[in-house]
Amino acid sequence: MTSKKVCIFDFDGTLVRSMGRFADIASRLIHERYSHSTSEARGMYIRTSGHPFFRQLEILFPGNPLNETTARLYEAEKVELYYREPPESGAAETLGYLQSRGMRTAVSSNNFQEVVEQY
């Protein structure tokens, strides 16, 4: 084992298979509400990923009055489906292995803390 003491994992897309679903929801909403094609909307979402969705919308559509309600729709739909997303294959075993070897593990996410904790 190395001299490292902590290993940090990103939650969405690393520990849980959620990024594809998030992109699906976001691209549909951007298509419906801002009149971009779904493929263009998906690219916009991916280019700004790493930010919470409400911030992504402000980056993509600064000051647009649709941003607030679109973000609420996204979060409601995301949470409704979120807990059905499976963990990535081997995620729990990897965390357990590292912890059994004395490594502390941490999770990072731009998702809301209460959603990650409940999952």
Side-chain angles (χ1 to χ4, degrees):
M1 192 109 234
T2 71
S3 62
K4 306 282 189 256
K5 304 285 184 215
V6 177
C7 188
I8 302 172
F9 293 87
D10 182 44
F11 192 69
D12 295 305
T14 302
L15 297 178
V16 178
R17 284 185 204 170
S18 51
M19 292 308 292
R21 176 86 64 180
F22 292 172
D24 293 343
I25 296 167
S27 61
R28 182 180 44 76
L29 287 171
I30 291 170
H31 166 70
E32 291 171 356
R33 300 179 61 83
Y34 302 90
S35 300
H36 288 271
S37 72
T38 52
S39 63
E40 183 182 22
R42 191 178 193 89
M44 296 165 90
Y45 173 79
I46 290 168
R47 278 193 309 278
T48 57
S49 67
H51 296 280
F53 191 63
F54 71 90
R55 192 161 296 134
Q56 288 178 272
L57 292 174
E58 279 301 318
I59 291 167
L60 297 168
F61 312 105
N64 191 309
L66 294 173
N67 291 351
E68 186 177 333
T69 57
T70 304
R72 276 199 304 261
L73 289 168
Y74 172 84
E75 294 300 335
E77 191 170 340
K78 179 183 84 172
V79 168
E80 181 181 316
L81 299 172
Y82 193 61
Y83 302 111
R84 295 185 218 158
E85 298 295 336
E88 287 291 345
S89 176
E93 295 83 3
T94 300
L95 292 171
Y97 172 79
L98 291 171
Q99 291 168 347
S100 75
R101 304 284 296 196
M103 176 87 61
R104 297 185 71 185
T105 58
V107 174
S108 174
S109 179
N110 71 352
N111 208 325
F112 295 108
Q113 184 169 347
E114 61 272 9
V115 173
V116 174
E117 286 176 355
Q118 186 170 345
Y119 184 93

